[in-house]
Amino acid sequence: MPELEIPAGERNMVLNMGPQHPSTHGVLRLVLELDGETIVRCTPDIGYLHTGIEKTCEDKTYHQAITLTDRIDYLCPLTNNLCYVLAVEKLLGLEPPPRAQWVRVMLNELSRIASHLVWLGTHAIDIGAMSVFLYCFREREEILKLFEMVAGQRMMTSYFRVGGLALEPPADFLKRVQKFLQIFPGRIEEYENLLTRNRIWIGRTKGIGYLSAADALDLGVSGPSARASGIDWDLRRDNPYSSYDKFSFAVPVRQEGDVYARYLVRVDEMRESVKIVQQAVEGLPEGPVQATARGVVLPPREKMKTEMEALIYHFKIVTEGFRVPPGEVYQAIESPRGEMGYYVVSDGTSHPYRVKVRSPSFANLQALPRIAEGRLLADMIACIGSIDIVLGEIDR
Amino acid sequence: MSPLMVLFALAKIVVILLVLLTVVAYAVWFERKLLAHMQCRWGPTRVGPHGLLQPLADAIKLLTKEDLTPSEVFPLVYLLAPFLSLVTALLAFAVIPFGPETRVGGMDLFQIADLDIGVLFILSVSSMGVYGIALAGWSSNSKYSLLGGLRSSAQMISYELAIGLSIIGVLLLTGSLSLRAIVENQAGAYWGFLPRWNIIPQFAGFVCFLVAAIAETNRLPFDLPEAETELVAGYHTEYSSMKFGMFFMAEYANMVTASCLATLLFFGGWHGPVFGPAILQALLPLLWFSLKVLFFLFLYVWIRATLPRFRYDQLMAFGWKFLVPLALGNLVVTSLVLAIRWS
């Protein structure tokens, strides 16, 4: 990025915030031009967490690439898995069985809760409410344990497969989820008790970082940040995927467009997610967790021992991967941060020709200068927290 | 003054200083432990039972760490600032009485110096403390430090005013600036059961004092000068090793001073039920005093665990538009009541 040149005689101070800074949520660098403590100009500088995941995907088979998607948005790995897997399934024309879809929805909403918990915790600690951070992480820990149960990993889950799930969830998984659902709404109350009607919290967030609906549309802001500005758009409801149309839930929308509205929208979203998980647990259909697609989905273990054909398919899928018909597809889902899209191009081989990720954080970050300029340095912290960015997703 | 008395006075200073430094070190442990339990954590557990040796480990760590001086600092001021902070923080204890007058060989056991203007002395010394912070911020050659230093100068000067005004009510009631006289004035009880502590007639003054004292010691929700998430560490960003340790100790020493002052001015100092044999009667006041101070330290931690941080302009608005008028109003009402009573 070009260096900021300050003309002689200008009295503004240039402050380099980040990439190592306690509240830039990773390695975001902001070049701030300050007049006293007022931000005159804010220039985000990204690229410090560039991992080359998109490029690396081209060198992997379709299945291997799933493990890379975990690392893009590390606060909701399962959402990334789902989006990528849905895109590949679209290319293959494959429909996973209902049980797999239900479990996917359940885990996705748990990811949303976990991600919002990290957001709430870090946002609160940025503004100085220290205990909320630890309370949030206590509940997130429970969700990570649930992930560990199904996937064997807390964060890099890679649990979804093209055509369904990797494994049937363990026997007492649903019981653990139920238990979590019972305690969690009370815990949301606890966070709200500490924050929602707290005068200092309201003073720090209400009327701060205003983003109008028009600006939100212009800058490509999506997700809770856009819904807090009055844009009633949620892909789960408006462009359903993975049987979201079979669940009933509300989409919280607010008109104020400030940091406080974004806070309230996300807190309400956690409540709605609890409802969705509840429905998924109660209405979980019986049946297989993987589609029957010869040559794409690995054959069952028993068949491999008895059928020659199954063994051959197993060998072929593991060593070479499955071939995907040529074409290109864009699959968008509602991640905790907004519209997450995977654009996958296939040239007919077993490796994707191109995987492009439309990450919500990248677009949402564009709004930061708009909402923070002209405000105080302390508001900057509240603003960064309120748009809920994940740097891994921005740089990919 | 005989040489023996000078020696005795010196010994007293050394003992009180050692006790104070220990208290400061364990205030850190107390805060970490308490905060941890409020947040469903364990806090320090590794060094000693219940992490009780943690302050010792911290001291060794701070003393042996590499002492970095960034380039292009203003060396003299940069080195002086932490000393200034710590010395002013410790100096306030010179006039704080810990117990009733107990004379041994003509020397008072529980106070270094009973100044007639003890309250004024503490106020003036604590306002010197702002120099340490402001100079540290200015000399560090860092923008974060500078912002922290600027914030704290404005904040501490504004809240000093509120502290001063809130204390005047107590001074009017007592008619003395000596801390000992103020405490003696709070002995006894209304109607035989309600202690005659200043907090009862001076509740508004107490609230005002408490809030301003938290701001004065730069603690949450007023910890703007070192707002970790905004200014990295504020004025002490560029300090390492024991130089940082001095700022750290100064902060906790100031907390202890503020707690002592709140106890002395509003909570009746060492007054409390006294019973039992003579030795117990001599020690109980010390216990009451310590417990009251501990209560205020607890309050500090509790507030830190609960509240978010003010924004700079909100903090100033709160100080000037709420606290100062409240203290002034309290002052006017107190004066009126006293005037009516005397006439």
Side-chain angles (χ1 to χ4, degrees):
Chain A
M1 64 162 274
E3 287 293 310
L4 277 178
E5 280 184 26
I6 305 297
E10 188 93 39
R11 287 167 60 245
N12 292 346
M13 176 167 98
V14 177
L15 183 70
N16 181 35
M17 192 166 153
Q20 281 90 26
H21 187 282
S23 52
T24 51
H25 291 227
V27 283
L28 172 66
R29 174 174 172 234
L30 295 168
V31 182
L32 302 176
E33 209 183 308
L34 298 177
D35 179 13
E37 284 211 26
T38 311
I39 297 161
V40 179
R41 201 182 320 159
C42 157
T43 318
D45 182 16
I46 58 171
Y48 290 91
L49 202 57
H50 182 68
T51 44
I53 286 177
E54 285 182 2
K55 186 72 188 163
T56 317
C57 282
E58 295 168 18
D59 202 40
K60 303 284 175 199
T61 66
Y62 280 95
H63 257 155
Q64 285 171 335
I66 296 175
T67 56
L68 293 170
T69 60
D70 289 330
R71 285 140 177 96
I72 291 180
D73 182 348
Y74 38 75
L75 293 185
C76 54
L78 283 161
T79 315
N80 288 267
N81 292 163
L82 178 66
C83 193
Y84 170 76
V85 162
L86 282 176
V88 178
E89 281 168 0
K90 217 183 209 179
L91 272 173
L92 284 163
L94 200 62
E95 171 89 5
R99 187 175 174 82
Q101 296 198 13
W102 250 256
V103 173
R104 283 177 177 187
V105 166
M106 188 195 308
L107 288 171
N108 253 281
E109 291 309 313
L110 285 173
S111 303
R112 191 180 313 278
I113 295 173
S115 170
H116 279 359
L117 283 175
V118 175
W119 157 78
L120 178 61
T122 50
H123 188 36
I125 204 172
D126 283 350
I127 300 184
M130 193 184 173
S131 298
V132 177
F133 172 75
L134 288 141
Y135 295 158
C136 286
F137 270 62
R138 177 185 60 193
E139 272 72 73
R140 176 176 182 254
E141 193 60 31
E142 228 6 83
I143 296 180
L144 292 185
K145 278 183 189 149
L146 289 173
F147 289 172
E148 195 182 357
M149 275 184 97
V150 291
Q153 283 261 38
R154 289 152 51 82
M155 290 192 54
M156 301 303 140
T157 46
S158 301
Y159 179 57
F160 301 150
R161 295 287 183 274
V162 176
L165 310 174
L167 297 160
E168 170 77 24
D172 53 346
F173 173 67
L174 291 181
K175 241 178 252 163
R176 283 278 289 269
V177 175
Q178 285 277 22
K179 218 169 110 193
F180 174 76
L181 291 178
Q182 271 161 19
I183 55 159
F184 188 61
R187 298 289 163 84
I188 300 181
E189 296 294 323
E190 195 177 333
Y191 316 141
E192 284 220 282
N193 280 342
L194 279 166
L195 299 176
T196 305
R197 278 178 302 281
N198 186 325
R199 290 285 291 275
I200 304 178
W201 179 261
I202 292 175
R204 286 299 303 276
T205 55
K206 209 162 200 167
I208 310 292
Y210 173 70
L211 182 69
S212 68
D215 277 346
L217 283 178
D218 286 350
L219 294 164
V221 175
S222 55
S225 304
R227 286 194 284 276
S229 293
I231 298 171
D232 192 3
W233 179 253
D234 188 320
L235 288 169
R236 289 175 295 171
R237 182 195 61 196
D238 300 316
N239 189 10
Y241 50 90
S242 195
S243 343
Y244 261 109
D245 44 346
K246 301 200 176 68
F247 294 85
S248 73
F249 58 95
V251 177
V253 177
R254 295 204 155 247
Q255 304 299 328
E256 295 89 347
D258 55 6
V259 175
Y260 190 60
R262 275 167 241 153
Y263 158 74
L264 290 176
V265 163
R266 288 201 180 91
V267 171
D268 286 344
E269 268 186 19
M270 285 201 267
R271 292 212 172 88
E272 293 303 321
S273 292
V274 170
K275 278 188 211 161
I276 299 175
V277 178
Q278 189 72 47
Q279 291 169 38
V281 172
E282 281 162 6
L284 186 64
E286 292 298 320
V289 292
Q290 282 178 330
T292 38
R294 190 180 272 183
V296 174
V297 175
L298 287 175
R301 204 79 201 162
E302 299 76 46
K303 281 201 176 158
M304 275 168 56
K305 291 175 185 159
T306 50
E307 288 175 25
M308 189 62 194
E309 206 180 353
L311 188 62
I312 292 171
Y313 273 126
H314 185 272
F315 182 74
K316 291 276 272 182
I317 295 171
V318 169
T319 52
E320 174 190 300
F322 51 84
R323 286 171 198 278
V324 172
E328 49 193 80
V329 71
Y330 176 73
Q331 172 69 44
I333 69 172
E334 186 74 25
S335 99
R337 268 156 279 285
E339 178 184 334
M340 171 190 281
Y342 274 66
Y343 177 67
V344 181
V345 183
S346 165
D347 56 357
T349 63
S350 57
H351 301 263
Y353 179 76
R354 175 85 171 95
V355 176
K356 163 82 179 83
V357 183
R358 189 269 179 207
S359 63
S361 296
F362 182 74
N364 291 357
L365 180 64
Q366 289 187 97
L368 184 62
R370 179 67 54 88
I371 63 178
E373 275 174 7
R375 304 217 59 104
L376 292 173
L377 183 62
D379 291 336
M380 176 53 113
I381 308 302
C383 290
I384 298 176
S386 77
I387 56 170
D388 189 19
I389 47 170
V390 165
L391 267 293
E393 194 185 39
I394 289 173
D395 293 339
R396 302 189 294 288
Chain B
M1 222 180 202
S2 68
L4 196 69
M5 285 183 81
V6 173
L7 213 63
F8 185 74
L10 276 177
K12 201 165 65 175
I13 291 172
V14 168
V15 168
I16 288 182
L17 202 61
L18 281 180
V19 170
L20 178 62
L21 289 179
T22 316
V23 168
V24 166
Y26 277 90
V28 180
W29 175 87
F30 176 71
E31 174 173 31
R32 287 179 63 180
K33 207 72 185 166
L34 195 62
L35 202 58
H37 282 284
M38 284 179 181
Q39 297 170 338
C40 324
R41 301 183 282 128
W42 283 108
T45 50
R46 294 301 164 106
V47 195
H50 300 285
L52 271 169
L53 295 178
Q54 187 68 40
L56 212 65
D58 284 347
I60 294 171
K61 180 194 78 177
L62 283 171
L63 283 169
T64 51
K65 270 210 160 178
E66 187 184 0
D67 192 3
L68 282 170
T69 305
S71 59
E72 291 180 54
V73 298
F74 193 128
L76 180 70
V77 181
Y78 177 80
L79 289 174
L80 203 63
F83 286 96
L84 207 58
S85 266
L86 185 60
V87 168
T88 50
L90 295 181
L91 212 54
F93 279 87
V95 294
I96 287 186
F98 307 103
E101 206 168 356
T102 314
R103 291 201 174 268
V104 176
M107 292 286 288
D108 191 357
L109 211 54
F110 294 138
Q111 188 178 21
I112 295 178
D114 183 12
L115 288 188
D116 292 342
I117 50 159
V119 177
L120 269 189
F121 177 80
I122 288 185
L123 285 182
S124 58
V125 164
S126 73
S127 37
M128 294 272 289
V130 74
Y131 279 104
I133 291 175
L135 291 177
W138 174 69
S139 68
S140 286
N141 188 31
S142 156
K143 290 163 185 172
Y144 287 116
S145 303
L146 183 65
L147 285 174
L150 283 176
R151 279 180 174 190
S152 72
S153 318
Q155 172 181 336
M156 289 173 85
I157 289 167
S158 319
Y159 278 79
E160 207 113 89
L161 202 66
I163 279 203
L165 285 173
S166 62
I167 291 178
I168 295 182
V170 173
L171 300 182
L172 281 174
L173 284 182
T174 314
S176 168
L177 278 165
S178 154
L179 283 164
R180 189 166 286 280
I182 290 172
V183 176
E184 296 304 346
N185 196 43
Q186 298 176 63
Y190 297 111
W191 311 300
F193 67 95
L194 200 61
R196 281 172 60 93
W197 295 353
N198 280 333
I199 182 175
I200 294 160
Q202 284 293 314
F203 189 73
F206 170 70
V207 171
C208 194
F209 175 82
L210 196 67
V211 175
I214 293 171
E216 184 76 5
T217 44
N218 296 330
R219 298 277 307 173
L220 257 170
F222 306 103
D223 66 338
L224 299 173
E226 47 188 310
E228 184 192 330
T229 48
E230 291 158 29
L231 301 179
V232 187
Y235 62 90
H236 60 62
T237 306
E238 302 294 338
Y239 283 88
S240 53
S241 180
M242 204 53 210
K243 290 211 285 286
F244 159 74
M246 283 182 187
F247 280 123
F248 198 61
M249 279 159 70
E251 182 182 326
Y252 282 86
N254 279 329
M255 258 169 74
V256 177
T257 317
S259 305
C260 286
L261 213 54
T263 308
L264 294 170
L265 293 175
F266 295 98
F267 262 47
W270 51 84
H271 290 307
V274 174
F275 46 82
I279 180 80
L280 196 65
Q281 286 200 2
L283 288 179
L284 269 177
L286 274 183
L287 178 74
W288 297 133
F289 182 79
S290 313
L291 281 181
K292 287 171 189 175
V293 170
L294 203 62
F295 165 76
F296 281 105
L297 288 176
F298 174 82
L299 203 63
Y300 265 107
V301 179
W302 193 11
I303 289 172
R304 181 178 171 193
T306 312
L307 292 179
R309 182 182 299 121
F310 271 97
R311 203 176 60 201
Y312 178 61
D313 56 323
Q314 292 165 346
L315 171 95
M316 296 304 266
F318 181 72
W320 287 101
K321 291 183 185 162
F322 179 74
L323 276 189
V324 172
L326 177 70
L328 278 174
N330 176 53
L331 185 57
V332 170
V333 172
T334 311
S335 316
L336 277 177
V337 170
L338 285 177
I340 291 166
R341 199 186 286 170
W342 286 340
S343 60

